Amino acid sequence: MKQSLDYKLIFALAAVGIIWGTTFLEIRVAVETIPPWFVTSIRQGLAGIIMMIILLFKKELKWIGWENLKHQLVPSVLMIVIANGFTTVAEQTVPSGLASVISAMAPILIFLGSILFKLQKPSLRGFVGVIIGFSGVVFIFKDGLGSFLDADYRIGMMFMGFAITAWAGGTIYTKLHGNKSKNIVLNLFYQFTMASCIQIVLAFIFSPNIDVSLWSSKSIFAALYLSIFGSVIAFFSYNYALKHVTPVQVSILAYINTIIAVFFGWLILDEKITIDFIIATILIILGVFIINYKKKEKKTL
């Protein structure tokens, strides 16, 4: 069967890899003056409004039924409330670079989960690709791995552990049930809206005495960036990609996210790019290639 280049898929994968790489830095900036659950509720609430405007313009805003609502609630809670929310909470105490290296463990969980739920067959090549890619991420931070044992980071690390586990679960669930509805924008509208409602309740529980005057313009702009780029564009791209490739192939972009996170650390925070970074980059790209490389596919029944 003739295969043509899917430019939409290429754009979607590039958006996920690049945009989510910048979000670690933006979350760190946002939580400098805005409590984390307010950051997430603003992020998802605005994203839900943008999706609603798009749906109204296209005359596609409608009730999706209780069955499909259930299918949207699960990834909403796992991927947006827990994974996204806990990452934001964690970055109050965990540096953005360290948060990105922990999140890069998600593909290993997704790879194992995909095998468990029979989304793909066990593959030595796939596992080797995941390990090589992750070793590249570890190589970047090898001088700072002692931070994992630092008492100041333990609670943040616990939140990051819950976050990557929830993200893996949400990714696998989306792949298993994502075809129940073809309208990604409509699904995301419900996901963002439900997540925002849960997160605003958590925001007032954990930060009852809120003083908006203390919020810096830098943090507010970071929250807006997270909403428009980190949620609307990147989540749409992620869900689009999941309809066309395996969960592991999409999740491997977590390694690209880490390179981007380090690059912006260099660009904005004057962090050095060393020979270690170049070696790590080669390892990560090799891991991505091994995971995504396919021989000509034979027809399967």
mmCIF file with all atom_site columns, all heavy atoms in Angstrom, residues 176-197:
data_model
loop_
_atom_site.group_PDB
_atom_site.id
_atom_site.type_symbol
_atom_site.label_atom_id
_atom_site.label_alt_id
_atom_site.label_comp_id
_atom_site.label_asym_id
_atom_site.label_entity_id
_atom_site.label_seq_id
_atom_site.pdbx_PDB_ins_code
_atom_site.Cartn_x
_atom_site.Cartn_y
_atom_site.Cartn_z
_atom_site.occupancy
_atom_site.B_iso_or_equiv
_atom_site.pdbx_formal_charge
_atom_site.auth_seq_id
_atom_site.auth_comp_id
_atom_site.auth_asym_id
_atom_site.auth_atom_id
_atom_site.pdbx_PDB_model_num
ATOM 1   N N   . LEU A 1 176 ? -7.094  3.498  23.877 1.00 0.00 ? 176 LEU A N   1
ATOM 2   C CA  . LEU A 1 176 ? -8.077  2.410  23.903 1.00 0.00 ? 176 LEU A CA  1
ATOM 3   C C   . LEU A 1 176 ? -9.486  2.890  23.566 1.00 0.00 ? 176 LEU A C   1
ATOM 4   O O   . LEU A 1 176 ? -10.264 2.192  22.931 1.00 0.00 ? 176 LEU A O   1
ATOM 5   C CB  . LEU A 1 176 ? -8.095  1.746  25.295 1.00 0.00 ? 176 LEU A CB  1
ATOM 6   C CG  . LEU A 1 176 ? -6.901  0.853  25.644 1.00 0.00 ? 176 LEU A CG  1
ATOM 7   C CD1 . LEU A 1 176 ? -6.914  0.509  27.117 1.00 0.00 ? 176 LEU A CD1 1
ATOM 8   C CD2 . LEU A 1 176 ? -6.923  -0.425 24.798 1.00 0.00 ? 176 LEU A CD2 1
ATOM 9   N N   . HIS A 1 177 ? -9.820  4.120  24.016 1.00 0.00 ? 177 HIS A N   1
ATOM 10  C CA  . HIS A 1 177 ? -11.197 4.610  23.874 1.00 0.00 ? 177 HIS A CA  1
ATOM 11  C C   . HIS A 1 177 ? -11.322 5.871  23.028 1.00 0.00 ? 177 HIS A C   1
ATOM 12  O O   . HIS A 1 177 ? -12.408 6.415  22.897 1.00 0.00 ? 177 HIS A O   1
ATOM 13  C CB  . HIS A 1 177 ? -11.799 4.895  25.257 1.00 0.00 ? 177 HIS A CB  1
ATOM 14  C CG  . HIS A 1 177 ? -11.830 3.688  26.144 1.00 0.00 ? 177 HIS A CG  1
ATOM 15  N ND1 . HIS A 1 177 ? -12.781 2.695  26.025 1.00 0.00 ? 177 HIS A ND1 1
ATOM 16  C CD2 . HIS A 1 177 ? -11.010 3.300  27.155 1.00 0.00 ? 177 HIS A CD2 1
ATOM 17  C CE1 . HIS A 1 177 ? -12.551 1.754  26.941 1.00 0.00 ? 177 HIS A CE1 1
ATOM 18  N NE2 . HIS A 1 177 ? -11.481 2.092  27.628 1.00 0.00 ? 177 HIS A NE2 1
ATOM 19  N N   . GLY A 1 178 ? -10.207 6.322  22.444 1.00 0.00 ? 178 GLY A N   1
ATOM 20  C CA  . GLY A 1 178 ? -10.208 7.587  21.713 1.00 0.00 ? 178 GLY A CA  1
ATOM 21  C C   . GLY A 1 178 ? -11.079 7.588  20.472 1.00 0.00 ? 178 GLY A C   1
ATOM 22  O O   . GLY A 1 178 ? -11.515 8.638  20.018 1.00 0.00 ? 178 GLY A O   1
ATOM 23  N N   . ASN A 1 179 ? -11.331 6.420  19.900 1.00 0.00 ? 179 ASN A N   1
ATOM 24  C CA  . ASN A 1 179 ? -12.126 6.360  18.672 1.00 0.00 ? 179 ASN A CA  1
ATOM 25  C C   . ASN A 1 179 ? -13.628 6.385  18.921 1.00 0.00 ? 179 ASN A C   1
ATOM 26  O O   . ASN A 1 179 ? -14.419 6.305  18.001 1.00 0.00 ? 179 ASN A O   1
ATOM 27  C CB  . ASN A 1 179 ? -11.756 5.106  17.861 1.00 0.00 ? 179 ASN A CB  1
ATOM 28  C CG  . ASN A 1 179 ? -10.346 5.195  17.315 1.00 0.00 ? 179 ASN A CG  1
ATOM 29  O OD1 . ASN A 1 179 ? -9.883  6.270  16.961 1.00 0.00 ? 179 ASN A OD1 1
ATOM 30  N ND2 . ASN A 1 179 ? -9.656  4.075  17.276 1.00 0.00 ? 179 ASN A ND2 1
ATOM 31  N N   . LYS A 1 180 ? -14.020 6.486  20.214 1.00 0.00 ? 180 LYS A N   1
ATOM 32  C CA  . LYS A 1 180 ? -15.454 6.558  20.519 1.00 0.00 ? 180 LYS A CA  1
ATOM 33  C C   . LYS A 1 180 ? -16.061 7.837  19.938 1.00 0.00 ? 180 LYS A C   1
ATOM 34  O O   . LYS A 1 180 ? -17.222 7.920  19.633 1.00 0.00 ? 180 LYS A O   1
ATOM 35  C CB  . LYS A 1 180 ? -15.676 6.534  22.044 1.00 0.00 ? 180 LYS A CB  1
ATOM 36  C CG  . LYS A 1 180 ? -15.176 5.262  22.721 1.00 0.00 ? 180 LYS A CG  1
ATOM 37  C CD  . LYS A 1 180 ? -16.081 4.093  22.442 1.00 0.00 ? 180 LYS A CD  1
ATOM 38  C CE  . LYS A 1 180 ? -15.772 2.871  23.284 1.00 0.00 ? 180 LYS A CE  1
ATOM 39  N NZ  . LYS A 1 180 ? -14.469 2.278  23.104 1.00 0.00 ? 180 LYS A NZ  1
ATOM 40  N N   . SER A 1 181 ? -15.252 8.894  19.814 1.00 0.00 ? 181 SER A N   1
ATOM 41  C CA  . SER A 1 181 ? -15.701 10.152 19.221 1.00 0.00 ? 181 SER A CA  1
ATOM 42  C C   . SER A 1 181 ? -14.581 10.695 18.357 1.00 0.00 ? 181 SER A C   1
ATOM 43  O O   . SER A 1 181 ? -13.433 10.744 18.769 1.00 0.00 ? 181 SER A O   1
ATOM 44  C CB  . SER A 1 181 ? -16.070 11.165 20.310 1.00 0.00 ? 181 SER A CB  1
ATOM 45  O OG  . SER A 1 181 ? -16.273 12.434 19.732 1.00 0.00 ? 181 SER A OG  1
ATOM 46  N N   . LYS A 1 182 ? -14.930 11.132 17.146 1.00 0.00 ? 182 LYS A N   1
ATOM 47  C CA  . LYS A 1 182 ? -13.922 11.616 16.204 1.00 0.00 ? 182 LYS A CA  1
ATOM 48  C C   . LYS A 1 182 ? -13.571 13.082 16.435 1.00 0.00 ? 182 LYS A C   1
ATOM 49  O O   . LYS A 1 182 ? -12.559 13.557 15.951 1.00 0.00 ? 182 LYS A O   1
ATOM 50  C CB  . LYS A 1 182 ? -14.432 11.440 14.760 1.00 0.00 ? 182 LYS A CB  1
ATOM 51  C CG  . LYS A 1 182 ? -14.842 10.021 14.399 1.00 0.00 ? 182 LYS A CG  1
ATOM 52  C CD  . LYS A 1 182 ? -13.648 9.126  14.229 1.00 0.00 ? 182 LYS A CD  1
ATOM 53  C CE  . LYS A 1 182 ? -14.071 7.718  13.782 1.00 0.00 ? 182 LYS A CE  1
ATOM 54  N NZ  . LYS A 1 182 ? -12.990 6.763  13.868 1.00 0.00 ? 182 LYS A NZ  1
ATOM 55  N N   . ASN A 1 183 ? -14.440 13.832 17.142 1.00 0.00 ? 183 ASN A N   1
ATOM 56  C CA  . ASN A 1 183 ? -14.262 15.272 17.275 1.00 0.00 ? 183 ASN A CA  1
ATOM 57  C C   . ASN A 1 183 ? -13.317 15.601 18.442 1.00 0.00 ? 183 ASN A C   1
ATOM 58  O O   . ASN A 1 183 ? -13.737 15.678 19.598 1.00 0.00 ? 183 ASN A O   1
ATOM 59  C CB  . ASN A 1 183 ? -15.623 15.947 17.479 1.00 0.00 ? 183 ASN A CB  1
ATOM 60  C CG  . ASN A 1 183 ? -15.545 17.455 17.290 1.00 0.00 ? 183 ASN A CG  1
ATOM 61  O OD1 . ASN A 1 183 ? -14.522 18.075 17.554 1.00 0.00 ? 183 ASN A OD1 1
ATOM 62  N ND2 . ASN A 1 183 ? -16.628 18.047 16.838 1.00 0.00 ? 183 ASN A ND2 1
ATOM 63  N N   . ILE A 1 184 ? -12.040 15.801 18.123 1.00 0.00 ? 184 ILE A N   1
ATOM 64  C CA  . ILE A 1 184 ? -11.035 16.047 19.157 1.00 0.00 ? 184 ILE A CA  1
ATOM 65  C C   . ILE A 1 184 ? -11.318 17.342 19.907 1.00 0.00 ? 184 ILE A C   1
ATOM 66  O O   . ILE A 1 184 ? -11.196 17.409 21.130 1.00 0.00 ? 184 ILE A O   1
ATOM 67  C CB  . ILE A 1 184 ? -9.611  16.089 18.549 1.00 0.00 ? 184 ILE A CB  1
ATOM 68  C CG1 . ILE A 1 184 ? -9.247  14.737 17.921 1.00 0.00 ? 184 ILE A CG1 1
ATOM 69  C CG2 . ILE A 1 184 ? -8.574  16.452 19.611 1.00 0.00 ? 184 ILE A CG2 1
ATOM 70  C CD1 . ILE A 1 184 ? -7.928  14.740 17.172 1.00 0.00 ? 184 ILE A CD1 1
ATOM 71  N N   . VAL A 1 185 ? -11.717 18.402 19.179 1.00 0.00 ? 185 VAL A N   1
ATOM 72  C CA  . VAL A 1 185 ? -11.976 19.707 19.803 1.00 0.00 ? 185 VAL A CA  1
ATOM 73  C C   . VAL A 1 185 ? -13.111 19.603 20.810 1.00 0.00 ? 185 VAL A C   1
ATOM 74  O O   . VAL A 1 185 ? -13.030 20.138 21.925 1.00 0.00 ? 185 VAL A O   1
ATOM 75  C CB  . VAL A 1 185 ? -12.288 20.783 18.737 1.00 0.00 ? 185 VAL A CB  1
ATOM 76  C CG1 . VAL A 1 185 ? -12.651 22.115 19.399 1.00 0.00 ? 185 VAL A CG1 1
ATOM 77  C CG2 . VAL A 1 185 ? -11.095 20.979 17.808 1.00 0.00 ? 185 VAL A CG2 1
ATOM 78  N N   . LEU A 1 186 ? -14.181 18.885 20.434 1.00 0.00 ? 186 LEU A N   1
ATOM 79  C CA  . LEU A 1 186 ? -15.328 18.709 21.334 1.00 0.00 ? 186 LEU A CA  1
ATOM 80  C C   . LEU A 1 186 ? -14.911 17.918 22.576 1.00 0.00 ? 186 LEU A C   1
ATOM 81  O O   . LEU A 1 186 ? -15.278 18.277 23.709 1.00 0.00 ? 186 LEU A O   1
ATOM 82  C CB  . LEU A 1 186 ? -16.468 17.989 20.607 1.00 0.00 ? 186 LEU A CB  1
ATOM 83  C CG  . LEU A 1 186 ? -17.792 17.860 21.374 1.00 0.00 ? 186 LEU A CG  1
ATOM 84  C CD1 . LEU A 1 186 ? -18.386 19.235 21.672 1.00 0.00 ? 186 LEU A CD1 1
ATOM 85  C CD2 . LEU A 1 186 ? -18.790 17.011 20.581 1.00 0.00 ? 186 LEU A CD2 1
ATOM 86  N N   . ASN A 1 187 ? -14.153 16.851 22.370 1.00 0.00 ? 187 ASN A N   1
ATOM 87  C CA  . ASN A 1 187 ? -13.664 16.061 23.507 1.00 0.00 ? 187 ASN A CA  1
ATOM 88  C C   . ASN A 1 187 ? -12.823 16.911 24.455 1.00 0.00 ? 187 ASN A C   1
ATOM 89  O O   . ASN A 1 187 ? -12.981 16.858 25.675 1.00 0.00 ? 187 ASN A O   1
ATOM 90  C CB  . ASN A 1 187 ? -12.823 14.876 23.012 1.00 0.00 ? 187 ASN A CB  1
ATOM 91  C CG  . ASN A 1 187 ? -13.664 13.828 22.291 1.00 0.00 ? 187 ASN A CG  1
ATOM 92  O OD1 . ASN A 1 187 ? -14.881 13.834 22.390 1.00 0.00 ? 187 ASN A OD1 1
ATOM 93  N ND2 . ASN A 1 187 ? -13.009 12.956 21.558 1.00 0.00 ? 187 ASN A ND2 1
ATOM 94  N N   . LEU A 1 188 ? -11.905 17.699 23.874 1.00 0.00 ? 188 LEU A N   1
ATOM 95  C CA  . LEU A 1 188 ? -11.022 18.526 24.698 1.00 0.00 ? 188 LEU A CA  1
ATOM 96  C C   . LEU A 1 188 ? -11.790 19.628 25.420 1.00 0.00 ? 188 LEU A C   1
ATOM 97  O O   . LEU A 1 188 ? -11.432 20.004 26.540 1.00 0.00 ? 188 LEU A O   1
ATOM 98  C CB  . LEU A 1 188 ? -9.900  19.124 23.844 1.00 0.00 ? 188 LEU A CB  1
ATOM 99  C CG  . LEU A 1 188 ? -8.795  18.146 23.424 1.00 0.00 ? 188 LEU A CG  1
ATOM 100 C CD1 . LEU A 1 188 ? -7.801  18.839 22.493 1.00 0.00 ? 188 LEU A CD1 1
ATOM 101 C CD2 . LEU A 1 188 ? -8.059  17.582 24.632 1.00 0.00 ? 188 LEU A CD2 1
ATOM 102 N N   . PHE A 1 189 ? -12.854 20.147 24.794 1.00 0.00 ? 189 PHE A N   1
ATOM 103 C CA  . PHE A 1 189 ? -13.687 21.153 25.466 1.00 0.00 ? 189 PHE A CA  1
ATOM 104 C C   . PHE A 1 189 ? -14.227 20.576 26.778 1.00 0.00 ? 189 PHE A C   1
ATOM 105 O O   . PHE A 1 189 ? -14.145 21.214 27.829 1.00 0.00 ? 189 PHE A O   1
ATOM 106 C CB  . PHE A 1 189 ? -14.856 21.579 24.565 1.00 0.00 ? 189 PHE A CB  1
ATOM 107 C CG  . PHE A 1 189 ? -15.965 22.268 25.315 1.00 0.00 ? 189 PHE A CG  1
ATOM 108 C CD1 . PHE A 1 189 ? -15.789 23.547 25.835 1.00 0.00 ? 189 PHE A CD1 1
ATOM 109 C CD2 . PHE A 1 189 ? -17.174 21.622 25.527 1.00 0.00 ? 189 PHE A CD2 1
ATOM 110 C CE1 . PHE A 1 189 ? -16.804 24.173 26.549 1.00 0.00 ? 189 PHE A CE1 1
ATOM 111 C CE2 . PHE A 1 189 ? -18.200 22.235 26.239 1.00 0.00 ? 189 PHE A CE2 1
ATOM 112 C CZ  . PHE A 1 189 ? -18.017 23.518 26.756 1.00 0.00 ? 189 PHE A CZ  1
ATOM 113 N N   . TYR A 1 190 ? -14.756 19.368 26.710 1.00 0.00 ? 190 TYR A N   1
ATOM 114 C CA  . TYR A 1 190 ? -15.284 18.725 27.926 1.00 0.00 ? 190 TYR A CA  1
ATOM 115 C C   . TYR A 1 190 ? -14.165 18.408 28.910 1.00 0.00 ? 190 TYR A C   1
ATOM 116 O O   . TYR A 1 190 ? -14.310 18.590 30.119 1.00 0.00 ? 190 TYR A O   1
ATOM 117 C CB  . TYR A 1 190 ? -16.075 17.465 27.562 1.00 0.00 ? 190 TYR A CB  1
ATOM 118 C CG  . TYR A 1 190 ? -17.472 17.766 27.085 1.00 0.00 ? 190 TYR A CG  1
ATOM 119 C CD1 . TYR A 1 190 ? -17.768 17.840 25.721 1.00 0.00 ? 190 TYR A CD1 1
ATOM 120 C CD2 . TYR A 1 190 ? -18.502 17.990 27.989 1.00 0.00 ? 190 TYR A CD2 1
ATOM 121 C CE1 . TYR A 1 190 ? -19.047 18.132 25.281 1.00 0.00 ? 190 TYR A CE1 1
ATOM 122 C CE2 . TYR A 1 190 ? -19.797 18.279 27.558 1.00 0.00 ? 190 TYR A CE2 1
ATOM 123 C CZ  . TYR A 1 190 ? -20.065 18.357 26.206 1.00 0.00 ? 190 TYR A CZ  1
ATOM 124 O OH  . TYR A 1 190 ? -21.339 18.656 25.771 1.00 0.00 ? 190 TYR A OH  1
ATOM 125 N N   . GLN A 1 191 ? -13.022 17.926 28.395 1.00 0.00 ? 191 GLN A N   1
ATOM 126 C CA  . GLN A 1 191 ? -11.899 17.587 29.275 1.00 0.00 ? 191 GLN A CA  1
ATOM 127 C C   . GLN A 1 191 ? -11.382 18.821 30.016 1.00 0.00 ? 191 GLN A C   1
ATOM 128 O O   . GLN A 1 191 ? -11.198 18.799 31.240 1.00 0.00 ? 191 GLN A O   1
ATOM 129 C CB  . GLN A 1 191 ? -10.764 16.952 28.475 1.00 0.00 ? 191 GLN A CB  1
ATOM 130 C CG  . GLN A 1 191 ? -11.048 15.528 28.016 1.00 0.00 ? 191 GLN A CG  1
ATOM 131 C CD  . GLN A 1 191 ? -9.862  14.909 27.300 1.00 0.00 ? 191 GLN A CD  1
ATOM 132 O OE1 . GLN A 1 191 ? -8.712  15.262 27.559 1.00 0.00 ? 191 GLN A OE1 1
ATOM 133 N NE2 . GLN A 1 191 ? -10.130 13.978 26.395 1.00 0.00 ? 191 GLN A NE2 1
ATOM 134 N N   . PHE A 1 192 ? -11.137 19.900 29.277 1.00 0.00 ? 192 PHE A N   1
ATOM 135 C CA  . PHE A 1 192 ? -10.618 21.129 29.896 1.00 0.00 ? 192 PHE A CA  1
ATOM 136 C C   . PHE A 1 192 ? -11.617 21.723 30.882 1.00 0.00 ? 192 PHE A C   1
ATOM 137 O O   . PHE A 1 192 ? -11.236 22.182 31.962 1.00 0.00 ? 192 PHE A O   1
ATOM 138 C CB  . PHE A 1 192 ? -10.283 22.172 28.826 1.00 0.00 ? 192 PHE A CB  1
ATOM 139 C CG  . PHE A 1 192 ? -9.060  21.852 28.013 1.00 0.00 ? 192 PHE A CG  1
ATOM 140 C CD1 . PHE A 1 192 ? -9.029  22.114 26.653 1.00 0.00 ? 192 PHE A CD1 1
ATOM 141 C CD2 . PHE A 1 192 ? -7.932  21.298 28.598 1.00 0.00 ? 192 PHE A CD2 1
ATOM 142 C CE1 . PHE A 1 192 ? -7.910  21.835 25.888 1.00 0.00 ? 192 PHE A CE1 1
ATOM 143 C CE2 . PHE A 1 192 ? -6.802  21.007 27.847 1.00 0.00 ? 192 PHE A CE2 1
ATOM 144 C CZ  . PHE A 1 192 ? -6.796  21.280 26.487 1.00 0.00 ? 192 PHE A CZ  1
ATOM 145 N N   . THR A 1 193 ? -12.895 21.724 30.506 1.00 0.00 ? 193 THR A N   1
ATOM 146 C CA  . THR A 1 193 ? -13.927 22.329 31.362 1.00 0.00 ? 193 THR A CA  1
ATOM 147 C C   . THR A 1 193 ? -14.068 21.550 32.667 1.00 0.00 ? 193 THR A C   1
ATOM 148 O O   . THR A 1 193 ? -14.110 22.143 33.757 1.00 0.00 ? 193 THR A O   1
ATOM 149 C CB  . THR A 1 193 ? -15.277 22.381 30.621 1.00 0.00 ? 193 THR A CB  1
ATOM 150 O OG1 . THR A 1 193 ? -15.116 23.111 29.398 1.00 0.00 ? 193 THR A OG1 1
ATOM 151 C CG2 . THR A 1 193 ? -16.341 23.066 31.468 1.00 0.00 ? 193 THR A CG2 1
ATOM 152 N N   . MET A 1 194 ? -14.124 20.229 32.584 1.00 0.00 ? 194 MET A N   1
ATOM 153 C CA  . MET A 1 194 ? -14.249 19.408 33.798 1.00 0.00 ? 194 MET A CA  1
ATOM 154 C C   . MET A 1 194 ? -12.999 19.564 34.677 1.00 0.00 ? 194 MET A C   1
ATOM 155 O O   . MET A 1 194 ? -13.111 19.713 35.894 1.00 0.00 ? 194 MET A O   1
ATOM 156 C CB  . MET A 1 194 ? -14.464 17.933 33.421 1.00 0.00 ? 194 MET A CB  1
ATOM 157 C CG  . MET A 1 194 ? -15.836 17.649 32.831 1.00 0.00 ? 194 MET A CG  1
ATOM 158 S SD  . MET A 1 194 ? -16.172 15.877 32.549 1.00 0.00 ? 194 MET A SD  1
ATOM 159 C CE  . MET A 1 194 ? -15.102 15.518 31.158 1.00 0.00 ? 194 MET A CE  1
ATOM 160 N N   . ALA A 1 195 ? -11.824 19.552 34.049 1.00 0.00 ? 195 ALA A N   1
ATOM 161 C CA  . ALA A 1 195 ? -10.577 19.688 34.806 1.00 0.00 ? 195 ALA A CA  1
ATOM 162 C C   . ALA A 1 195 ? -10.510 21.041 35.508 1.00 0.00 ? 195 ALA A C   1
ATOM 163 O O   . ALA A 1 195 ? -10.123 21.124 36.677 1.00 0.00 ? 195 ALA A O   1
ATOM 164 C CB  . ALA A 1 195 ? -9.379  19.518 33.872 1.00 0.00 ? 195 ALA A CB  1
ATOM 165 N N   . SER A 1 196 ? -10.905 22.087 34.788 1.00 0.00 ? 196 SER A N   1
ATOM 166 C CA  . SER A 1 196 ? -10.854 23.435 35.365 1.00 0.00 ? 196 SER A CA  1
ATOM 167 C C   . SER A 1 196 ? -11.777 23.563 36.571 1.00 0.00 ? 196 SER A C   1
ATOM 168 O O   . SER A 1 196 ? -11.418 24.193 37.578 1.00 0.00 ? 196 SER A O   1
ATOM 169 C CB  . SER A 1 196 ? -11.224 24.470 34.302 1.00 0.00 ? 196 SER A CB  1
ATOM 170 O OG  . SER A 1 196 ? -11.153 25.767 34.832 1.00 0.00 ? 196 SER A OG  1
ATOM 171 N N   . CYS A 1 197 ? -12.950 22.957 36.482 1.00 0.00 ? 197 CYS A N   1
ATOM 172 C CA  . CYS A 1 197 ? -13.911 22.998 37.606 1.00 0.00 ? 197 CYS A CA  1
ATOM 173 C C   . CYS A 1 197 ? -13.323 22.306 38.845 1.00 0.00 ? 197 CYS A C   1
ATOM 174 O O   . CYS A 1 197 ? -13.438 22.816 39.966 1.00 0.00 ? 197 CYS A O   1
ATOM 175 C CB  . CYS A 1 197 ? -15.223 22.333 37.205 1.00 0.00 ? 197 CYS A CB  1
ATOM 176 S SG  . CYS A 1 197 ? -16.167 23.285 35.990 1.00 0.00 ? 197 CYS A SG  1
#
